[in-house]
């Protein structure tokens, strides 16, 4: 069954177009991530799916049913917010049961669902505590648990890890991925963080300026980006884009090379000077300004004794190179 179908969704606020003709299908059990820079429209699109905003035009179907006129509480969705949105005066257990009580669910059903969610999320030691007595990661688990007990058709996550520090974000990514495997649920997850998108998604939807730029699996988008925006957005460090630094480069084209595909060599096609060295233990990143005055990043695996101001030569395997035209669209090279 199709979990969600969006057909030609547009949204305007006055004269400002925020979403422009978006059509998308989410299959049952699929983990789909909306990713893009701030202001690209991803949170507005999520709010339209949830029923918190009305589309200017287009239709939203959840589980095969058109829901444009259905209020949020009746759509069979559960939403997890960046802000947790927990009731501070209620215990963990009461926060998780409140929605079920308001629905009029029997006590036995409430107890069964809450017990299952508490066990799944490792919250057994905290069920009597209030949110103020919990860490940020524990509060987010409670918010997720409150969504789980509703047994929705569709989970919606809106930047749920933005308030957590780096270590907690990594732990919560693992927990959310594990939760998806256990539940087999359909999830739509909004983030501006490409690492979250790459590590969590079955399918990534890359948005920019209200348009869908590309849809595909993480590795499809990483290995076969449709344009320069997608190529530069996914990957850390970001892809290098060069217009004049490579010997023999075709005029009027932009060459894209990922930092990990550059190598040090005595007779490389790219020559420049090291301007910064990042020693990360297992990796070494070199920031280089080329002789043609373009900046690039080189990712080397291992430890390298390189210094700022040192001249360097670089090269790459042509099979790893990407080519873009002046409109930033991908040029697909014909096989030799």
């Amino acid at each position: 069954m199709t979990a969600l179908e969006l057909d030609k969704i547009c949204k305007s606020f006055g004269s400002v177009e925020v979403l422009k003709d978006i059509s998308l299908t989410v299959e049952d059990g699929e983990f789909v991530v909306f990713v893009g820079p701030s202001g690209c429209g991803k949170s507005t699109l999520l709010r339209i799916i949830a029923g918190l905003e009305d589309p200017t035009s287009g239709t939203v179907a959840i589980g095969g049913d058109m829901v444009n006129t259905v209020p949020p509480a009746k759509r069979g969705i559960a939403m997890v917010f960046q802000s947790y949105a927990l009731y501070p005066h209620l215990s963990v257990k009461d926060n998780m049961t409140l929605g079920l009580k308001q629905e009029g669910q029997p006590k036995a059903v409430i107890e069964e669902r809450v017990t299952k969610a508490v066990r799944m999320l490792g919250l057994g030691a905290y069920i009597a505590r209030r949110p103020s007595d919990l860490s940020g990661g524990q509060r987010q688990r409670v918010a997720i648990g409150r969504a789980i007990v509703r047994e929705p058709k569709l989970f919606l996550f809106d930047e749920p890890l933005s308030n957590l520090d780096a270590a907690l974000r990594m732990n919560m990514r693992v927990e959310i991925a594990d939760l998806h495997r256990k539940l087999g649920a359909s999830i739509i997850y909004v983030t501006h963080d490409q690492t979250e998108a790459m590590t969590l998604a079955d399918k990534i939807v890359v948005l920019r300026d209200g348009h869908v730029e590309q849809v595909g699996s993480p590795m499809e988008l990483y290995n076969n980006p449709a344009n320069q925006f997608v190529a530069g957005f996914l990957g850390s460090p970001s892809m290098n884009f060069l217009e004049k630094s490579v010997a023999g480069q075709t005029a009027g084209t932009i060459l894209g090379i990922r930092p990990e595909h550059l190598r040090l060599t005595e007779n490389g096609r790219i020559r420049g000077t090291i301007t910064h060295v990042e020693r990360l233990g297992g990796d070494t990143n070199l920031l280089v300004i080329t002789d043609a005055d373009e900046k690039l990043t080189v990712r080397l695996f291992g430890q390298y004794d390189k210094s700022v101001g040192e001249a360097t030569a670089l090269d790459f395997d042509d099979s790893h190179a990407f080519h873009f035209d002046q409109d930033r669209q991908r040029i697909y090279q014909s096989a030799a």
Side-chain angles (χ1 to χ4, degrees), residues 242-255:
L242 303 172
E243 296 190 55
K244 52 189 178 181
S245 294
V246 181
Q249 184 173 346
T250 303
T253 65
I254 301 164
L255 181 68

Side-chain angles (χ1 to χ4, degrees), residues 46 62 66 76 93 99 122 135 159-160 203 205 237 246 260 286 317:
L46 193 75
I62 297 176
M66 204 267 279
K93 184 173 183 179
S135 69
E159 305 246 22
K203 182 163 72 183
V205 180
V246 181
E260 63 269 26
L286 305 180
D317 187 327

Side-chain angles (χ1 to χ4, degrees), residues 18-145:
V18 178
L19 298 175
K20 305 163 188 175
D21 200 31
I22 291 179
S23 296
L24 178 71
T25 299
V26 176
E27 301 300 335
D28 192 37
E30 198 169 31
F31 197 129
V32 175
V33 175
F34 295 170
V35 69
S38 297
C40 70
K42 56 189 183 294
S43 290
T44 300
L45 185 57
L46 193 75
R47 289 174 63 82
I48 286 173
I49 296 167
L52 301 175
E53 295 279 359
D54 294 324
T56 303
S57 61
T59 59
V60 179
I62 297 176
D65 299 319
M66 204 267 279
V67 297
N68 283 50
T69 60
V70 177
K74 302 293 185 181
R75 292 195 176 195
I77 57 109
M79 198 161 181
V80 179
F81 299 93
Q82 175 183 346
S83 62
Y84 315 139
L86 301 175
Y87 292 99
H89 62 290
L90 297 180
S91 67
V92 167
K93 184 173 183 179
D94 288 341
N95 264 287
M96 293 173 68
T97 60
L98 182 61
L100 297 178
K101 289 177 180 177
Q102 291 172 337
E103 291 176 6
Q105 294 285 354
K107 288 184 178 179
V109 171
I110 293 173
E111 192 64 31
E112 179 185 356
R113 291 188 187 180
V114 171
T115 299
K116 180 180 177 181
V118 165
R119 187 187 314 118
M120 192 178 295
L121 293 165
L123 291 170
Y126 311 105
I127 57 173
R129 297 188 186 181
R130 294 183 178 181
S132 60
D133 299 320
L134 304 175
S135 69
Q138 290 163 350
R139 291 179 201 175
Q140 194 56 281
R141 289 210 298 268
V142 176
I144 294 170

Side-chain angles (χ1 to χ4, degrees), residues 185-249:
S186 303
I187 295 176
I188 297 177
Y189 187 107
V190 164
T191 182
H192 65 276
D193 186 328
Q194 59 95 14
T195 300
E196 287 180 28
M198 293 290 290
T199 56
L200 288 173
D202 296 319
K203 182 163 72 183
I204 295 175
V205 180
V206 182
L207 292 134
R208 179 174 61 154
D209 296 334
H211 289 286
V212 173
E213 292 286 336
Q214 193 172 356
V215 178
S217 72
M219 289 301 100
E220 285 171 348
L221 268 58
Y222 189 82
N223 293 324
N224 195 25
N227 55 47
Q228 188 176 339
F229 175 77
V230 175
F233 193 83
L234 296 177
S236 181
S238 297
M239 184 181 286
N240 299 296
F241 298 109
L242 303 172
E243 296 190 55
K244 52 189 178 181
S245 294
V246 181
Q249 184 173 346

Side-chain angles (χ1 to χ4, degrees), residues 288-302:
V288 174
I289 186 160
T290 71
D291 288 352
D293 201 30
E294 293 181 314
K295 295 179 181 179
L296 59 78
T297 303
V298 185
R299 182 185 181 193
L300 304 173
F301 297 96

